[in-house]
Amino acid sequence: KWEKALQTIAKEKPDVIFVLGDLFEYGPNPDRYAHALAELKTPYGTFGVFGNHEYYTGLNNSLDFYKKANITLLNNQIHTLPNGVEVIGVKDIATARVSPAELNRLLASSSDRKTRILLSHQPLLTEEAAAQGIDLILSGHTHKGQIFPFNFLVKLKYSHIYGWYHLPPKTNLYVTSGMFYWGMPLRLFTSAEIPMIYIQGNE
């Protein structure tokens, strides 16, 4: 399934790949998956953040996986793409206990004259990011509930659980259901996905 998913991405010929975390738990041979992802080349590269499971499996293990997978980890860091888009990666907000003040400091260090994309594993502190004028937030974690009754539990914790949202004054938020699953290999009334998003940057 992993190799098939990467083949699907390769066919789309994306300029850049964004990884939103929870990649590490792939059975007894994670190097196989890391090396397969590393072979997927794009013009701008692959950038990502940690999800909660990267913390659970050990930061050193997760750092090693991202390095072997050729994922540039944005750990409360900013990277400017060749097309002028700024990509901002924040630590997993819940697990790393990122405060609103910490997020605001990170976002304030970016340029409001550029198109800015925030990678955040969990769709939290979205209003704070919107107040800073972030153009696009990309999140995951919720799996769109994945199976009954978790879909109801997810709705209790997160106000944004799947799809596109507009956050005033100008922020777009997309929460993906993810490529695979959490825990048991099963989805009920939800589907996996690989979102392809087209963005116009500025030089």
Side-chain angles (χ1 to χ4, degrees), residues 56-141:
Y56 300 160
T57 54
L59 287 179
N60 288 335
N61 291 333
S62 299
L63 287 167
D64 184 60
F65 181 90
Y66 271 49
K67 183 177 180 180
K68 290 177 179 176
N70 202 26
I71 302 169
T72 298
L73 176 65
L74 298 178
N75 205 17
N76 280 15
Q77 294 169 300
I78 302 169
H79 179 88
T80 302
L81 298 177
N83 65 352
V85 172
E86 278 195 341
V87 184
I88 307 163
V90 66
K91 298 176 182 179
D92 183 60
I93 289 174
T95 310
R97 299 180 180 179
V98 176
S99 67
E102 184 179 357
L103 178 63
N104 284 331
R105 284 193 297 271
L106 173 63
L107 301 182
S109 65
S110 64
S111 173
D112 59 7
R113 295 188 298 273
K114 296 182 178 180
T115 299
R116 294 180 293 172
I117 301 173
L118 174 64
L119 309 182
S120 176
H121 176 66
Q122 300 192 42
L124 298 172
L125 301 184
T126 53
E127 288 76 14
E128 285 78 0
Q132 289 273 8
I134 295 301
D135 296 283
L136 175 64
I137 306 170
L138 299 177
S139 294
H141 182 71

